[in-house]
Amino acid sequence: MIDHPTGNMIAQSAHLMGDPARASMLAALIGGDVLTAGELASQAGITPQTASGHLAKLLDGRLVVAERQGRHRYFRLASAAVAQALEGLMALSPPPPAFPARRHGPRDAAMRQARTCYDHMAGRLAVDLTAALQQRGFLHRSDGVGVVSDAGHRFFCDFGIDLAPTSRSTRPLCRLCLDWSERRPHLAGQIGAALLARTLALGWVVRTPNSRTLTITPAGARGFSDMMGRAVDGRNG
């Protein structure tokens, strides 16, 4: 029998994500949150004892990592790659029966407009911004990977984002991640994370407590409008 290590690895990760309770716990962490086992059990609708068994499997599969602080043990996704895999699976999944057939992603209009996907932006704002940067020649797609042009390097530098390579990170500079609700790509990788951090620092977007939703502020509506060359509605939804 021929061994297929790559296929086995894919099957193992798919099996871990494929259980409904584990999938619910992973989905609760996709916004970059850190949660306790009890909180994840509540999200999945299972007992704390059952959640502990599932979390042990996710830890072994390197889909989550745990860190202890005081008396509590907190869990988070192991990497941005796990979040991107989950987002891709969400994009491939059919909507629940209660959804209109043509509509995908979250029901909440504000979350569809702008939200976090691990450490970068997702939703309509993020895909429109990515499309605008491509149209302006700041980045383009090559073999599924985002490539930043010379003009793009100048643009991001002027915007306050340092694109100088560092030896500490092996993460791709620019990735294009399929958006769950919009079914178009948004920016991920180092640039995606830096863009979210920079817009948060500028007050263009603010996090919504206990949610992945990002609220676009009036300053953000003006800033994104200038960046994209078209009006951006600051009213989420």
Side-chain angles (χ1 to χ4, degrees):
M1 182 176 178
I2 299 175
D3 184 29
H4 298 284
T6 301
N8 291 339
M9 291 167 60
I10 293 172
Q12 182 180 10
S13 296
H15 173 72
L16 288 170
M17 293 181 178
D19 179 87
R22 290 195 291 268
S24 295
M25 289 192 286
L26 290 170
L29 298 172
I30 197 173
D33 300 311
V34 290
L35 299 175
T36 65
E39 290 168 333
L40 289 168
S42 178
Q43 289 282 344
I46 56 178
T47 65
Q49 292 80 5
T50 302
S52 294
H54 284 307
L55 286 167
K57 293 179 180 179
L58 293 173
L59 285 165
D60 288 342
R62 294 185 293 181
L63 296 182
V64 300
V65 293
E67 52 192 51
R68 187 171 293 279
Q69 184 172 330
R71 297 173 54 191
H72 297 287
R73 194 182 188 201
Y74 293 92
F75 296 86
R76 59 179 172 81
L77 294 185
S79 67
V82 177
Q84 288 159 14
L86 291 169
E87 186 89 357
L89 287 172
M90 289 176 181
L92 292 173
S93 303
F99 278 33
R102 67 181 183 279
R103 191 174 179 86
H104 301 276
R107 299 187 190 207
D108 185 75
M111 194 172 178
R112 295 176 67 87
Q113 170 76 348
R115 64 182 183 275
T116 56
C117 175
Y118 193 65
D119 61 357
H120 57 271
M121 287 190 290
R124 190 179 309 115
L125 173 67
V127 298
D128 286 349
L129 177 58
T130 302
L133 294 174
Q134 289 178 296
Q135 291 169 1
R136 296 182 66 180
F138 295 154
L139 62 92
H140 65 274
R141 191 168 191 161
S142 176
D143 295 327
V145 178
V147 178
V148 183
S149 66
D150 290 342
H153 275 267
R154 291 191 294 271
F155 168 80
F156 286 113
C157 182
D158 291 342
F159 190 58
I161 294 176
D162 183 9
L163 298 185
T166 63
S167 58
R168 294 175 296 174
S169 177
T170 58
R171 189 176 182 186
L173 174 64
C174 181
R175 288 193 60 176
L176 296 177
C177 179
L178 178 64
D179 193 89
W180 166 30
S181 57
E182 297 299 307
R183 308 301 167 100
R184 294 184 287 148
H186 62 239
L187 273 178
Q190 293 181 46
I191 286 183
L195 191 60
L196 173 60
R198 181 59 175 157
T199 53
L200 284 168
L202 290 172
W204 287 16
V205 292
V206 294
R207 297 181 186 272
T208 302
N210 303 313
S211 173
R212 293 172 57 194
T213 303
L214 295 170
T215 299
I216 306 170
T217 66
R222 294 190 296 270
F224 286 121
S225 295
D226 290 341
M227 186 179 288
M228 289 192 264
R230 67 165 187 80
V232 173
D233 189 352
R235 298 171 299 172
N236 281 30

